[in-house]
């Protein structure tokens, strides 16, 4: 009998107990048990019209003056120059370190029905440049035709301009290489079909036409486009293959992180990751392949931490542990520690990508070599 526990913070949550068969491909579906801490809700009984006096640069505060109005509609009429679409983007923003919209101090949903006196705080981001600009930055292009590019993104490169990273991104580099890109992603994300975290390297599709963009996104949703990653985890999980099925949203108290969320007061989306064990080292490290069934922000990193085996080197999700002294000799342990430090982030790489060509229907398959710092850690751990 095998028992799988998932860890969150210092709490241990029972997930599943099952008998493993000797056949390959035994699957364990994790059932999420995490409940975020409650946040006290304070409601003012005083009716007042919207007050747009800034609390700080780009910060606005409102008090609801009508009961039953949708939050997105209220913001669209209350924020100067805002549309309903912008209001919904602010409410649903999952990329900022802090939520853009809080109702009584808590993240809410666009369809939340306001009560008189509800306190709404909005952090309206400073305007970004109208469009990304071309920059002469070297790219590793594995494939290119009139419809798309396949790029091996280096570790440390941001995919598209955003607050804090207005330039030097993959989009800036692609714009200098290709004159025409799909406009579906908007002027700051032209051609971007899917993303990788800054410190995750590997394969990305970039669409040159809107038709290609729609086709590639549809294939991701239909799971006919396959994105496979490899990672090194701390510890050794008690399975050979497992599907982690646990919804992900912004962490309710640490807004720089994502987390597994089930409390209906917080926004989350379905997230499923398949993990396949490829090898282990001294009961201390595991090399895995991760296959995405959905594509949420930080998904593999969050799910790995959730089952108690964070990705080695991950500075956000518990990946900066000490190498066990008893598992390795002193010389090898120091070599492992040096290799982990050299990673500068999570040991995660998007190594394999396959999809049907959006125009010809031909099956396209690509692999990307592991970055030297990750290959070095594989060698030292003999994985």
């Amino acid at each position: 009998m095998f028992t799988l526990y998932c860890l969150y913070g210092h709490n241990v949550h029972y997930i599943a107990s099952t008998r493993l068969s000797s056949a390959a491909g035994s699957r364990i579906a994790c059932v999420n048990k995490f409940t975020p801490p409650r946040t006290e809700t304070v409601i003012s009984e005083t009716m007042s019209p919207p007050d747009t006096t800034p609390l700080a640069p780009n910060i606005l505060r409102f008090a609801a003056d009508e009961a039953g109005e949708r939050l997105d509609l209220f913001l669209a009429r209350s924020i100067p120059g805002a549309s309903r679409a912008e209001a919904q983007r602010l409410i649903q923003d999952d990329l900022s370190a802090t939520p853009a919209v809080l109702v009584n101090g808590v993240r809410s949903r666009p369809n939340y029905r306001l009560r008189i006196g509800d306190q709404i705080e909005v952090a309206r981001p400073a305007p970004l440049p109208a469009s990304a600009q071309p920059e002469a930055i070297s790219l590793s292009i594995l494939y290119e035709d009139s419809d798309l590019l396949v790029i091996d993104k280096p570790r440390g490169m941001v995919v598209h301009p955003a607050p804090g990273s207005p330039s030097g991104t993959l989009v800036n580099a692609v714009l200098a290489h290709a004159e025409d890109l799909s406009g579906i992603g908007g002027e700051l994300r032209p051609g971007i079909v899917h993303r990788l975290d800054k410190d995750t390297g590997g394969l990305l599709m970039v669409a040159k036409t809107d038709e290609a963009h729609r086709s590639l996104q549809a294939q991701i949703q239909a799971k006919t486009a396959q994105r496979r990653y490899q990672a090194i985890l701390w510890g050794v999980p008690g399975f050979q293959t497992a599907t982690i099925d646990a919804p992900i949203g912004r962490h309710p108290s640490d807004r720089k992180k994502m987390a597994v969320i089930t409390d209906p007061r917080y926004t989350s989306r379905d997230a499923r990751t398949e993990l396949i064990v490829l090898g282990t080292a001294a009961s201390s490290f595991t090399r895995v392949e991760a296959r995405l069934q959905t594509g949420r922000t930080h998904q593999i990193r969050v799910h790995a931490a959730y089952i108690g085996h964070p990705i080695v080197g991950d500075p956000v999700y518990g990946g900066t542990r000490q190498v066990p002294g008893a598992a390795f000799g002193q010389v090898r342990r120091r070599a492992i520690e040096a290799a982990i430090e050299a990673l500068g982030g999570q040991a995660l790489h998007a190594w394999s990508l396959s999809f049907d060509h959006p125009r010809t229907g031909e099956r396209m398959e690509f692999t990307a070599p592991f970055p030297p710092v990750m290959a070095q850690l594989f060698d030292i751990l003999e994985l």
Side-chain angles (χ1 to χ4, degrees), residues 5-15 33-37 305-308:
Y5 292 89
C6 291
L7 307 185
Y8 192 89
H10 298 292
N11 299 318
V12 181
H13 303 280
Y14 171 79
I15 301 303
K33 297 293 183 181
F34 169 66
T35 302
Y306 181 70
I307 64 169

Side-chain angles (χ1 to χ4, degrees), residues 241-270:
T241 300
T243 295
I244 314 304
D245 187 357
I248 290 176
R250 185 67 59 181
H251 193 289
S253 59
D254 186 346
R255 309 308 299 181
K256 295 181 180 180
K257 298 170 62 175
M258 306 301 288
V260 169
I261 301 290
T262 56
D263 191 318
R265 294 176 302 156
Y266 302 96
T267 301
S268 65
R269 299 169 117 185
D270 290 344

Side-chain angles (χ1 to χ4, degrees), residues 229 231 273 275 290 292 296 298-305 311 348:
Y229 298 68
T273 307
L275 296 178
L292 290 176
R296 309 305 175 211
H298 299 176
Q299 178 172 316
I300 298 172
R301 299 164 64 190
V302 170
H303 277 169
I311 297 175
L348 177 64

Side-chain angles (χ1 to χ4, degrees), residues 155 199 257 301 310-320 344-347:
R155 293 170 63 89
D199 291 324
K257 298 170 62 175
R301 299 164 64 190
I311 297 175
V312 169
D314 192 331
V316 178
Y317 298 103
T320 56
Q346 58 273 6

Side-chain angles (χ1 to χ4, degrees), residues 69-92:
E69 185 176 14
R70 283 176 56 113
L71 176 60
D72 55 354
L73 294 176
F74 174 86
L75 293 181
R77 71 176 177 84
S78 300
I79 301 175
S83 65
R84 184 178 180 184
E86 181 188 357
Q88 291 176 340
R89 283 196 299 270
L90 288 170
I91 298 167
Q92 296 175 317

Side-chain angles (χ1 to χ4, degrees), residues 31-59:
V31 180
N32 172 31
K33 297 293 183 181
F34 169 66
T35 302
R38 289 189 172 275
T39 302
E40 182 178 357
T41 300
V42 180
I43 303 175
S44 170
E45 297 179 356
T46 304
M47 293 179 58
S48 61
D51 174 15
T52 58
T53 303
L55 298 177
N58 302 319
I59 304 295

Side-chain angles (χ1 to χ4, degrees), residues 198-374:
K198 175 183 176 181
D199 291 324
T200 299
L203 296 171
L204 272 174
M205 299 178 284
V206 177
K208 287 187 174 182
T209 69
D210 289 352
E211 292 76 12
H213 200 137
R214 282 189 284 266
S215 172
L216 294 172
Q217 284 191 327
Q219 290 182 54
I220 288 175
Q221 293 174 357
K223 302 179 181 60
T224 55
Q226 300 292 324
R227 295 170 290 164
R228 299 183 181 185
Y229 298 68
Q230 286 197 30
I232 304 175
L233 309 183
W234 285 103
V236 177
F239 55 77
Q240 286 299 308
T241 300
T243 295
I244 314 304
D245 187 357
I248 290 176
R250 185 67 59 181
H251 193 289
S253 59
D254 186 346
R255 309 308 299 181
K256 295 181 180 180
K257 298 170 62 175
M258 306 301 288
V260 169
I261 301 290
T262 56
D263 191 318
R265 294 176 302 156
Y266 302 96
T267 301
S268 65
R269 299 169 117 185
D270 290 344
R272 291 176 299 281
T273 307
E274 184 179 1
L275 296 178
I276 302 169
V277 172
L278 302 178
T280 62
S283 299
S284 301
F285 298 94
T286 300
R287 181 174 178 171
V288 297
E289 178 175 291
R291 300 180 180 180
L292 290 176
Q293 297 182 11
T294 54
R296 309 305 175 211
T297 302
H298 299 176
Q299 178 172 316
I300 298 172
R301 299 164 64 190
V302 170
H303 277 169
Y306 181 70
I307 64 169
H309 298 283
I311 297 175
V312 169
D314 192 331
V316 178
Y317 298 103
T320 56
R321 299 179 178 180
Q322 295 293 318
V323 177
F328 305 95
Q330 184 176 7
V331 173
R332 192 178 178 202
R333 178 174 60 82
R334 288 179 177 174
I336 294 170
E337 290 173 342
I340 293 174
E341 184 176 357
L343 285 171
Q346 58 273 6
L348 177 64
H349 183 68
W351 79 283
S352 175
L353 176 66
S354 60
F355 56 91
D356 296 331
H357 192 281
R359 179 168 46 83
T360 68
E362 178 186 359
R363 190 65 178 174
M364 314 289 288
E365 297 183 354
F366 303 90
T367 57
F370 293 98
V373 289
M374 196 164 168

